[in-house]
Amino acid sequence: MSQDINVLALVKGSERYVFLYDDSSRAETLRVLGRYASNPDLSFTWYDAAVLSQKIRQETHKHVPHSRFDLPLPTDSDELA
Protein backbone atom coordinates (compact mmCIF):
# COMPACT_ATOMS: atom_id res chain seq x y z
CA MET A 1 0.00 0.00 0.00
CA SER A 2 1.22 3.47 -0.87
CA GLN A 3 1.95 6.01 1.86
CA ASP A 4 1.22 8.91 -0.50
CA ILE A 5 -1.19 11.62 0.52
CA ASN A 6 -3.72 12.60 -2.13
CA VAL A 7 -4.87 16.21 -2.33
CA LEU A 8 -8.24 17.20 -3.73
CA ALA A 9 -9.23 20.86 -3.77
CA LEU A 10 -12.26 22.90 -4.80
CA VAL A 11 -12.33 26.70 -4.92
CA LYS A 12 -15.76 28.33 -4.85
CA GLY A 13 -15.43 32.10 -4.77
CA SER A 14 -13.69 32.96 -1.54
CA GLU A 15 -14.22 29.47 -0.08
CA ARG A 16 -11.68 26.67 -0.29
CA TYR A 17 -12.46 22.99 0.22
CA VAL A 18 -9.28 20.92 0.55
CA PHE A 19 -9.34 17.17 1.19
CA LEU A 20 -6.23 15.22 2.15
CA TYR A 21 -6.53 11.44 2.15
CA ASP A 22 -4.44 8.33 1.72
CA ASP A 23 -5.32 5.13 -0.13
CA SER A 24 -6.83 3.51 2.95
CA SER A 25 -9.22 6.42 3.59
CA ARG A 26 -10.77 6.81 0.12
CA ALA A 27 -14.14 5.44 1.22
CA GLU A 28 -14.27 7.78 4.21
CA THR A 29 -13.39 10.72 1.96
CA LEU A 30 -16.29 9.83 -0.33
CA ARG A 31 -18.62 9.76 2.68
CA VAL A 32 -17.35 13.18 3.79
CA LEU A 33 -18.17 14.59 0.36
CA GLY A 34 -21.73 13.37 0.83
CA ARG A 35 -21.97 14.87 4.32
CA TYR A 36 -20.69 18.21 3.07
CA ALA A 37 -23.16 18.18 0.17
CA SER A 38 -26.07 17.48 2.51
CA ASN A 39 -25.09 20.32 4.87
CA PRO A 40 -27.26 23.37 4.03
CA ASP A 41 -24.81 25.67 5.84
CA LEU A 42 -22.11 25.00 3.22
CA SER A 43 -21.99 26.14 -0.38
CA PHE A 44 -20.72 22.63 -1.26
CA THR A 45 -23.33 21.04 -3.56
CA TRP A 46 -24.18 17.54 -4.69
CA TYR A 47 -22.71 18.45 -8.06
CA ASP A 48 -19.43 19.35 -6.33
CA ALA A 49 -19.52 16.02 -4.50
CA ALA A 50 -20.15 14.13 -7.75
CA VAL A 51 -17.29 15.83 -9.58
CA LEU A 52 -14.82 15.32 -6.75
CA SER A 53 -15.85 11.71 -6.16
CA GLN A 54 -15.31 11.03 -9.86
CA LYS A 55 -11.80 12.46 -9.53
CA ILE A 56 -11.14 10.17 -6.55
CA ARG A 57 -12.31 7.15 -8.54
CA GLN A 58 -10.23 8.15 -11.57
CA GLU A 59 -7.17 8.41 -9.36
CA THR A 60 -7.94 4.95 -7.97
CA HIS A 61 -7.96 3.48 -11.49
CA LYS A 62 -4.57 5.03 -12.28
CA HIS A 63 -3.00 2.93 -9.52
CA VAL A 64 -4.55 -0.39 -10.52
CA PRO A 65 -1.72 -2.59 -11.76
CA HIS A 66 -2.01 -3.42 -15.43
CA SER A 67 -0.64 -6.47 -17.14
CA ARG A 68 2.71 -5.90 -18.81
CA PHE A 69 1.54 -7.77 -21.87
CA ASP A 70 -1.82 -7.39 -23.52
CA LEU A 71 -1.82 -10.65 -25.47
CA PRO A 72 -4.82 -12.85 -26.17
CA LEU A 73 -4.86 -16.14 -24.35
CA PRO A 74 -5.05 -19.27 -26.47
CA THR A 75 -8.41 -20.94 -26.59
CA ASP A 76 -9.42 -24.44 -27.62
CA SER A 77 -10.56 -23.18 -31.02
CA ASP A 78 -7.15 -21.58 -31.64
CA GLU A 79 -5.38 -24.83 -30.86
CA LEU A 80 -7.52 -26.79 -33.35
CA ALA A 81 -6.86 -24.43 -36.26
Side-chain angles (χ1 to χ4, degrees), residues 58-70:
Q58 287 171 349
E59 188 65 27
T60 301
H61 291 292
K62 285 183 186 178
H63 298 291
V64 173
H66 297 284
S67 174
R68 268 182 73 183
F69 302 104
D70 191 20

Side-chain angles (χ1 to χ4, degrees), residues 16-50:
R16 309 285 189 267
Y17 294 94
V18 180
F19 302 91
L20 304 174
Y21 63 96
D22 61 9
D23 293 343
S24 64
S25 62
R26 276 194 173 97
E28 178 60 26
T29 304
L30 293 170
R31 286 190 288 275
V32 168
L33 296 177
R35 284 197 298 273
Y36 279 26
S38 64
N39 185 340
D41 295 330
L42 299 176
S43 66
F44 195 87
T45 66
W46 283 106
Y47 178 79
D48 298 330

Side-chain angles (χ1 to χ4, degrees), residues 5-22:
I5 298 296
N6 301 293
V7 179
L8 189 62
L10 174 68
V11 177
K12 291 188 80 169
S14 63
E15 296 178 322
R16 309 285 189 267
Y17 294 94
V18 180
F19 302 91
L20 304 174
Y21 63 96
D22 61 9

